[in-house]
Amino acid sequence: MQQVGYNLERVRQSIGDACRSAGRPPENITLVAVTKTFSAEVIEQAIALGLNIIGENRVQEALDKYSRIGTRVEWHLIGHLQSNKAKKAVEIFSLIHSVDSVDLAREVGRRAGQIGKNQEVLLEVNTSGEPQKYGFDPKEVLTALKEIKDIKGIKVLGLMTVGPLSDDADKVRSSFKMLKKIFDEIKLQAISNIEMKHLSMGMSGDYRVAIEEGSTMIRVGSAIFGNRN
Ligand SMILES: *Cc1c(COP(=O)(O)O)cnc(C)c1O
């Protein structure tokens, strides 16, 4: 607990530093505390430290923790969602960061509609070109949005990306720059039912760069909770 508190303090300071260097107000950055692989007890600690948005990458794992923690926090899905888990996902997640196909958007919309919900989502974009990563091809995002805008039961609120796994800071930065550019282009198009409010980019290793490049939502796990085994 003490260690987590100390880590969190460092992350908050470093968010502040990145904001100052980018000339942005720190209130513009939403911190999603990524607790995948960590227990519900760890989420209790996070709550005690003032964290109120929890990011999980697997639906079943999140459900198990949700049954202990409930709605004291907001739950975000940050990992790939399989269509057959959409029904469960819409029951607990307030924001799904990882919609990566039009078909998935339809299924999420259909399942959300069944429970009278308008599910807020982000579209995941594969900005690194790494084949093992999920997400729309950057060139496809706009076309996809023009189909997705008419789907009932979902509301697109922005974009998400996972930066390249690389020590090359320029590569990481250009990935974030690309997403920001797409975000701004979509905003300019003012597509009905599509809002560009959240730009979800930046993890423990690269959130400072992401903030400098315009991120509004960072997903931080190991820098707060320690290494996952
Ligand atoms: C695990 C994960 C994170 C957090 O990663 P850390 O390096 O532990 O901060 C963020 N986003 C996604 C999509 C993840 O799967």
Side-chain angles (χ1 to χ4, degrees):
M1 172 86 185
Q2 216 176 349
Q3 186 62 44
V4 171
Y6 174 75
N7 291 345
L8 178 61
E9 193 44 45
R10 281 184 48 166
V11 168
R12 285 192 170 130
Q13 281 183 11
S14 143
I15 293 170
D17 291 344
C19 283
R20 260 186 301 283
S21 96
R24 303 184 56 199
E27 309 82 68
N28 285 16
I29 312 296
T30 300
L31 174 60
V32 177
V34 177
T35 50
K36 65 185 186 199
T37 78
F38 290 102
S39 65
E41 286 73 34
V42 170
I43 299 181
E44 293 285 3
Q45 294 180 10
I47 295 170
L49 292 164
L51 290 165
N52 53 9
I53 305 179
I54 295 300
E56 287 283 337
N57 69 334
R58 288 173 186 213
V59 176
Q60 188 54 52
E61 187 183 332
L63 281 167
D64 294 344
K65 295 175 198 177
Y66 180 88
S67 71
R68 305 265 309 271
I69 307 285
T71 54
R72 286 181 289 152
V73 292
E74 244 185 66
W75 297 82
H76 287 196
L77 182 65
I78 60 171
H80 177 65
L81 176 59
Q82 287 171 284
S83 283
N84 62 359
K85 304 266 172 66
K87 179 176 189 286
K88 290 284 179 202
V90 301
E91 288 171 8
I92 64 168
F93 292 107
S94 59
L95 184 66
I96 298 175
H97 292 225
S98 47
V99 168
D100 55 11
S101 72
V102 176
D103 283 347
L104 179 61
R106 282 192 211 291
E107 182 59 10
V108 170
R110 186 175 80 85
R111 291 302 193 175
Q114 288 174 343
I115 60 167
K117 186 179 182 188
N118 203 18
Q119 177 68 54
E120 297 186 340
V121 305
L122 308 179
L123 299 193
E124 180 169 0
V125 183
N126 182 349
T127 53
S128 67
E130 291 172 358
Q132 72 278 20
K133 284 211 163 82
Y134 291 102
F136 287 95
D137 184 305
K139 294 190 290 291
E140 296 172 350
V141 182
L142 203 55
T143 323
L145 271 176
K146 287 178 179 164
E147 281 187 67
I148 293 172
K149 74 177 194 333
D150 296 321
I151 300 175
K152 301 270 178 298
I154 67 166
K155 169 89 184 155
V156 176
L157 287 185
L159 304 177
M160 178 273 231
T161 200
V162 176
L165 194 69
S166 170
D167 293 332
D168 183 346
D170 290 341
K171 249 189 177 168
V172 175
R173 191 177 293 279
S174 61
S175 177
F176 294 153
K177 266 194 204 304
M178 182 192 293
L179 195 68
K180 175 68 159 73
K181 187 159 170 262
I182 300 169
F183 183 84
D184 289 340
E185 279 167 10
I186 296 168
K187 216 184 235 180
L188 273 178
Q189 300 243 343
I191 305 166
S192 63
N193 195 37
I194 304 292
E195 219 179 300
M196 285 293 117
K197 181 174 169 192
H198 304 307
L199 187 55
S200 169
M201 54 187 199
M203 310 180 9
S204 291
D206 56 20
Y207 67 86
R208 298 168 197 79
V209 180
I211 290 171
E212 288 166 11
E213 297 304 332
S215 171
T216 67
M217 203 173 255
I218 58 174
R219 312 176 306 268
V220 181
S222 52
I224 300 172
F225 302 110
N227 288 326
R228 291 177 291 269
N229 302 309

